[in-house]
Amino acid sequence: MSTDTSTGTGSVDSGGSTSSSINLESVRAVAKKDFQDAVRSWLFWGLSAFFFALLVVVTGALSYFGEDIAAQGATTDMLVVFVSQITKLVVPLIALVLGWKSIAGERESGSIKVLLSLPHSRKDVLLGKLLGRSAVLSVSLTVGFVLAAVVVAALLGAFDIVDYAGLLVMSIVFGVAYMSIAVSLSSLTSSTTMAGAAMFGVFVLFYVVWNALQQVFRLLSQREILFFDTVSYTAEIGGQEVQAERLQDWVYFVMNLDPGQAYTNGLTLLTDVDALESQVAYSAQLFGGELPIFLQDWFSFLILLFWIVVPLAVALYRFDRVDL
Amino acid sequence: MPAITVDNLTKSFGQTVALDDLSFRVEEGEVFGFLGPNGAGKSTTINIVLDFARPTAGEISVLGMDAQRYSRDIRQRTGVLPEGVELYDRLTARQHLEFAIDSKNADDDPEALLERVGLVDAIDRKAGGYSKGMAQRLMLAMALVGEPDLLILDEPSTGLDPNGAREMRDIVREESERGATVFFSSHIMEQVEAVCDRVGILRDGKMVAVDSVEGLRDSVEGGTTLRVTVDRIDDDALQAVRSLPDVSNATVQGQNPPTVVVAVDGSKTAVLSALEDRGIEIRDFETTEASLEDVFQSYTTDAGTEVHAR
């Protein structure tokens, strides 16, 4: 490094730091390479085409069948509701598939040694991978949404750009949360087989176990097991006051830790969709009109942030300490 | 200041001891051949030098810096050709090099680098379609980015044809002349013979010899083999040859005519005189120098020739 003293200051500066330091230039270089690599795969273009097709198909169905909806001027609303139900399932799957091999695959093929032969720390690699893969998911979502916007605007009479953009932004945040889980788990395993099993486990956890939790809690409460007793509340249905029972607050808190639930809740903040808002109003009745903090829409961003930060923090700590 | 200092390095994987109290130095500016059969611990050593793996015990310093604490700074000044790794299939040679240049804040020209390793024709082709030899050339080019002070080449001849291996050695010489230290691992002696100033031989996680190529050759007893074709041979004459101070071994091969095979470390004429003194007619003789492969064999297999303790 004798000839490029003028440009060679970026990471030489970190003299005295430990190997586990973070250098933003390195993170950027790793992310850029990872993105370049992925953009050339069929996966990226396949994803963009998929998101495009998803929006166009739902829009087409709405404009064909949904005359009533159109009459109410709620077409974008319904688009958001339908599409978000699909993306709630599909975005995690895509993130897990994209992130699955991100680190474990490079360890298996040995190419991580190409990355780490260069002056990048392991943390740089982990963060760069997360950024690169998140960019792939976000850009493919954006490309799909933007291209579809033309069709959506043409087919639906009323096109609400705020709701549409809200759905896109929320989907990106949701995708990044799952990407963080995927990349982090990938870094904690040394084989793609183990990583694949971990991805499957995550999906089962949030889409099978978590869904079953509510039933389990209800059953437990019926048997009046300690901590599972119910709370009664008054709701107004069709102008009539109804006395009903609900589970305790903490059960709702646990249920809402699911990133998918946070995604749906977060949509109510970013969009102005009536169907989602009325769901919130109904939920509020359970708690006497005022939603507890953890059920408010802004709190779902904290939950998603939690799912981005916590797996990553564990991975950053662990990945620095393993033999590659 | 040595380029690499390894002190009392031990690395265990569970019950298996991969490196056992290993110590050696690579001096600044030299070309050091790191030899050993597969599984001797060469890659483990390199992994620890580059902080891919952590030592169980011991100290490693590279370019005067602690290998764990200053790994990033070390790698900033080091070029590495890792062994048996895959490239990024969807990226071209140019993109691979741009990534390395970007990562090191260097200002090399990808084209010039590929010119040096003879891969410039494939600069815009994706690495997924490369042969093993082409991939090896590209990785060598990546290692050369930023004029590193230290080059660590792990089995660099893998996948290269003899011509490619020679070009690779030329580059090692050029880099050495530029002032770089080269640390070069191989399991084939002849590859390091031509370029290395010193050679260290690793066996079962221990350094069994560190010396210059010449020194290693001399260290093996029976460095020279003398083959004498005679008209006849008897026990008396054979004993006389064996009793010579420079002879470590003498055997008879064949019958018609017999050939006396003598491992000799000094005067060959003494052997010939001893035979003639006992009335044996010498029809022909030839000497063969111990090949370095023999030297390597003797250090790395139990069946080999005995070696001097040095």
Side-chain angles (χ1 to χ4, degrees), chain A residues 106 116 118 120 122 320 323, chain B residues 11 51 54 75 88 103:
Chain A
E106 291 225 14
L116 286 174
L118 297 165
H120 306 301
R122 297 189 186 184
D320 257 341
D323 285 355
Chain B
K11 175 67 180 178
D51 198 35
R54 305 284 151 70
R75 286 176 285 126
Y88 298 99
S103 299

Side-chain angles (χ1 to χ4, degrees), chain B residues 224 246-247 264-269:
Chain B
T224 310
D246 289 339
V247 171
V264 62
D265 207 20
S267 166
K268 285 141 206 134
T269 46

Side-chain angles (χ1 to χ4, degrees), chain B residues 45-61:
Chain B
T45 308
I46 291 175
N47 283 346
I48 293 173
V49 165
L50 292 172
D51 198 35
F52 296 161
R54 305 284 151 70
T56 307
E59 298 280 319
I60 302 92
S61 112

Side-chain angles (χ1 to χ4, degrees), chain B residues 198-233:
Chain B
R198 287 197 309 147
V199 175
I201 298 181
L202 192 69
R203 181 190 177 182
D204 295 338
K206 285 189 176 123
M207 203 62 117
V208 288
V210 184
D211 209 332
S212 65
V213 171
E214 274 315 303
L216 279 178
R217 217 194 279 276
D218 291 346
S219 72
V220 178
E221 202 162 297
T224 310
T225 306
L226 179 64
R227 302 172 70 89
V228 193
T229 310
V230 289
D231 61 339
R232 61 182 181 84
I233 190 73

Side-chain angles (χ1 to χ4, degrees), chain A residues 190-243:
Chain A
S190 54
S191 78
T192 51
T193 315
M194 283 296 295
M199 299 304 138
F200 183 73
V202 167
F203 193 77
V204 168
L205 174 68
F206 288 123
Y207 286 82
V208 178
V209 175
W210 228 271
N211 280 349
L213 274 183
Q214 190 155 15
Q215 295 304 319
V216 172
F217 287 152
R218 201 161 280 285
L219 285 172
L220 288 173
S221 70
Q222 280 166 6
R223 288 164 195 242
E224 294 179 1
I225 290 169
L226 195 63
F227 304 125
F228 288 94
D229 41 346
T230 53
V231 180
S232 56
Y233 68 98
T234 342
E236 210 184 280
I237 298 172
Q240 278 193 309
E241 295 239 325
V242 181
Q243 196 78 18

